[in-house]
């Protein structure tokens, strides 16, 4: 009989203890950022139908959510705002008493150690739903939008935001915001740039949650084509050169190759945005009993870490924090 020569890789999988000993990638609470939607009004806790477990909170109901986040050991939140009024230039995005600015102050007063990230964009605040200034021909104007984005970032920093996270994908948005923050005395406030943001079908549930769907056209003239890979490096390079401190890749699940590319090319923290559509698909399948939600989520997020993400922005954060505590 011919002697078979092969490696016995299963030796290191024999027991749970051995598997834990050789485990390469770990998911920690400290890796998590939890998104929160704040809305103008009183006594509001609106469920987002397409995102089970996610709600819109008015300021007077925000305490219960923030206290839970802190009690679970989640170190950071990112805020998205739904204003009472919208206009063509998104005035409420940079008003000193805008809904996001009020929420930042509230959170920092109650939990000063919680890292508060401000999403810096105009789409939730404009009546047309686009991320910049629009002209009479429905073109999204790049350069006039930069001043408004810088104003928004400054107002968020003045309210106490620890990190500014611009998500608009206008050319030059990082340098405009960096110069604006520096000139306003906020040179120490870092920028977590949505550097690599694709025009994706996975954003659908978010647009319900944030009431931010465009009223005409789409965002393909400023968000990236999902077919493109090398373009991600060009975008990230520009943002690093312009002053970005951290880089976001969005979405995450269908873009693990992009996360790895960005990680391999840049010596900066990489954030994977586990977006609303990714969350909604898992939740829907779990509700129908088709998958094990806990194991699926932990596997998915660990895959993002393995691909190169240092930080994960996810709507699953509260559940994950509980599951990690159990383990």
């Amino acid at each position: 009989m011919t002697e078979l020569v092969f490696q016995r890789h299963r030796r290191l999988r024999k027991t749970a203890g051995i598997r834990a000993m050789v485990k390469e990638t770990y998911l920690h609470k400290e890796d998590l950022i939890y998104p929160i939607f704040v809305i103008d009004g009183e006594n509001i806790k609106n469920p987002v139908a397409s995102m089970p477990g996610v709600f819109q909170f008015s300021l007077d109901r925000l305490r219960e959510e923030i206290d839970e986040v802190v009690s679970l050991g989640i170190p950071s939140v990112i805020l998205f705002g739904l204003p009472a009024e919208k206009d063509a230039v998104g005035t409420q995005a940079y008003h000193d008493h805008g809904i996001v600015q009020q929420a930042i102050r509230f959170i920092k007063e109650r939990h000063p150690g919680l890292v508060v990230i401000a999403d810096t964009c105009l789409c939730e605040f404009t009546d047309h739903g686009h991320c910049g200034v629009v002209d009479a021909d429905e073109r999204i104007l790049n350069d006039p939008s930069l001043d408004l984005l810088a104003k928004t970032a400054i107002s968020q920093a003045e309210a106490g935001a620890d990190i500014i996270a611009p998500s608009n994908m206008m050319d030059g948005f990082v340098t405009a915001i960096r110069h604006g923050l520096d000139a306003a005395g906020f040179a120490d406030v870092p920028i977590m740039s949505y550097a690599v943001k694709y025009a994706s079908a996975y954003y659908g549930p978010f647009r319900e949650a944030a009431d931010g769907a465009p009223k005409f056209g789409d965002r393909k003239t400023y968000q990236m084509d999902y077919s493109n890979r090398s373009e991600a490096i060009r975008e990230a390079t520009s943002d690093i050169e312009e002053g970005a401190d951290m880089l976001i890749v969005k979405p995450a699940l269908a873009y693990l190759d992009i996360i790895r590319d960005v990680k391999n090319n840049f010596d900066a923290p990489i954030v994977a945005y586990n977006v609303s559509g990714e969350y909604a698909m898992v939740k829907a399948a779990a509700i129908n009993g088709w998958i094990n939600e806990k194991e699926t989520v932990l596997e998915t997020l660990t895959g993002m870490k393995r691909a190169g993400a240092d930080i994960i922005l996810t709507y699953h954060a509260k559940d994950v924090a509980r599951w990690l505590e159990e383990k």
Side-chain angles (χ1 to χ4, degrees):
M1 180 178 177
T2 303
E3 181 180 356
L4 299 178
V5 178
F6 55 89
Q7 298 293 319
R8 293 194 178 276
H9 300 290
R10 290 181 59 194
R11 289 171 180 157
L12 299 183
R13 304 172 193 151
K14 184 177 178 181
T15 67
I18 293 174
R19 291 193 297 272
M21 182 183 295
V22 299
K23 186 174 181 178
E24 299 176 27
T25 306
Y26 287 85
L27 186 65
H28 303 287
K29 290 182 183 181
E30 290 77 12
D31 302 329
L32 305 174
I33 300 171
Y34 184 58
I36 295 178
F37 298 93
V38 288
I39 186 170
D40 265 318
E42 295 181 355
N43 195 29
I44 297 172
K45 184 180 177 181
N46 290 334
V48 179
S50 58
M51 300 175 70
V54 174
F55 300 85
Q56 301 165 340
F57 290 91
S58 56
L59 289 176
D60 58 335
R61 297 292 301 273
L62 185 58
R63 176 179 297 178
E64 59 192 86
E65 181 78 335
I66 293 299
D67 288 355
E68 183 181 21
V69 166
V70 171
S71 71
L72 289 169
I74 297 169
S76 178
V77 296
I78 184 167
L79 299 179
F80 301 94
L82 290 83
E85 298 178 358
K86 301 187 179 190
D87 58 34
V89 292
T91 303
Q92 291 299 310
Y94 44 85
H95 195 287
D96 60 355
H97 290 294
I99 184 61
V100 169
Q101 288 78 0
Q102 292 183 66
I104 294 169
R105 293 188 185 97
F106 173 83
I107 295 170
K108 295 306 289 187
E109 288 174 4
R110 185 165 180 80
H111 294 290
L114 185 66
V115 176
V116 177
I117 305 166
D119 179 81
T120 305
C121 198
L122 302 177
C123 60
E124 298 140 47
F125 303 91
T126 56
D127 53 14
H128 47 73
H130 280 284
C131 304
V133 176
V134 174
D135 69 7
D137 296 320
E138 297 187 343
R139 294 177 302 179
I140 294 82
L141 304 179
N142 194 92
D143 295 9
S145 302
L146 299 180
D147 289 339
L148 300 184
L149 293 166
K151 287 176 63 176
T152 301
I154 292 166
S155 71
Q156 292 167 339
E158 288 174 339
D162 297 292
I163 298 173
I164 298 301
S167 60
N168 53 89
M169 288 297 284
M170 296 294 112
D171 291 336
F173 70 97
V174 173
T175 192
I177 288 171
R178 184 73 272 162
H179 279 82
L181 289 172
D182 291 355
F186 297 105
D188 292 334
V189 174
I191 295 175
M192 178 187 287
S193 172
Y194 287 69
V196 183
K197 182 178 180 180
Y198 287 88
S200 172
Y202 285 99
Y203 302 153
F206 175 90
R207 291 173 181 172
E208 176 193 354
D211 188 27
K215 297 300 187 291
F216 62 87
D218 53 41
R219 294 174 176 151
K220 293 181 179 179
T221 65
Y222 46 103
Q223 295 178 1
M224 292 171 52
D225 186 328
Y226 61 72
S227 304
N228 295 353
R229 184 173 181 177
S230 61
E231 183 183 8
I233 303 303
R234 297 198 300 272
E235 286 281 359
T237 298
S238 295
D239 287 9
I240 288 291
E241 291 175 348
E242 293 173 12
D245 301 282
M246 292 175 271
L247 301 172
I248 297 176
V249 176
K250 179 183 180 184
L253 189 56
Y255 299 85
L256 298 178
D257 59 323
I258 306 301
I259 293 172
R260 173 48 58 185
D261 285 347
V262 174
K263 180 66 174 178
N264 288 345
N265 280 274
F266 300 97
D267 185 20
I270 308 303
V271 183
Y273 195 147
N274 179 213
V275 299
S276 60
E278 298 166 1
Y279 173 88
M281 290 190 299
V282 170
K283 282 291 185 181
I287 289 169
N288 280 283
W290 298 334
I291 61 171
N292 180 311
E293 180 179 5
K294 173 182 174 180
E295 294 304 322
T296 301
V297 172
L298 293 178
E299 180 179 345
T300 299
L301 300 193
T302 300
M304 294 171 191
K305 287 285 301 282
R306 191 182 65 246
D310 301 290
I311 303 165
I312 300 175
L313 199 165
T314 178
Y315 302 94
H316 293 291
K318 292 195 297 183
D319 288 334
V320 170
R322 295 187 186 98
W323 295 331
L324 292 177
E325 191 67 29
E326 292 171 4
K327 296 180 70 173

